[in-house]
Each structure stands twice: as C-alpha cells, then as structure tokens.
Amino acid sequence: CPAGTSKASEGNSECVPCGAGTFQAGAGGTGPQCTPCPHNASSVAGATTCFCDAGYAKPAGSAICTMCPAGSYAPAGSAECTTCPANSESAAGAADSAAACTCLVGYGGNPCTICPAGTSK
C-alpha cells in the first residue's frame, strides 16, 4: 500500500486511506497498521504524518508536541511557539494566534496600549 493508506483488513488486497487521527508514513503496509497520532497531535484522512494541535509545537528533531508556555501561541502544525505581542498574555497551551492573546490589565486596544489616566480595563 502507498503511504497514507493500509490494508482494509488482514489478508485483504484493498488499500484504504488511514482514518483521521492516524497516519502511515511509509509505503508497503501489509495489514491494518495505521498508527495513531501522538498525544496533542492530529491528522486528516490519508495522512503520512501528524501535526501538532493549536497551542502546541514540535521543534525540529522532536517526536512530541509540547504545550506552548503562558504568554505565547501556536497555530495547528507549528514547529515553535511565538511570543504574544507586547503588553498581552495567554494561558499555557490556550492560544492559537496573536489574536487569542489578551491585553494585560491596564492595557486595551489592538495593539494593546496603556489605558489613559483615569480609565481602566
């Protein structure tokens, strides 16, 4: 079977795409052997690899997706976490984009700027 597929069942000659959440990296599968994606990772049907969920990243050479620390974000499939814009924050593993980072107390707007004297957020 080609990469991204496996046999429908043991002894069956039909190759079918791996289901979502599983993958088959190489060709030549002889049985139903798509591999489940690791924790905090996903895939589409017929995948040859898995990608990290939003809020997680997999640095080059790593086999696991690790949670982004507080104050950072990562879209699905990211290799690294990105620091939130100035004067903003996020909870660990909770942000998938810069827009998901929220302004610190006393800051507002986009980008986050200090609130004028006599006002607060």
Side-chain angles (χ1 to χ4, degrees), residues 21-112:
T22 66
F23 72 103
Q24 174 64 284
T30 58
Q33 55 189 9
C34 293
T35 305
C37 291
H39 193 60
N40 302 316
S42 305
S43 72
V44 296
T48 58
T49 187
C50 297
F51 56 87
C52 293
D53 295 334
Y56 293 80
K58 182 169 61 172
S62 176
I64 60 169
C65 297
T66 55
M67 182 185 296
C68 292
S72 65
Y73 66 92
S78 293
E80 59 186 47
C81 301
T82 302
T83 302
C84 284
N87 306 314
S88 68
E89 63 185 350
S90 70
D96 62 356
S97 67
C101 298
T102 57
C103 293
L104 298 170
V105 173
Y107 292 81
N110 185 9
C112 299

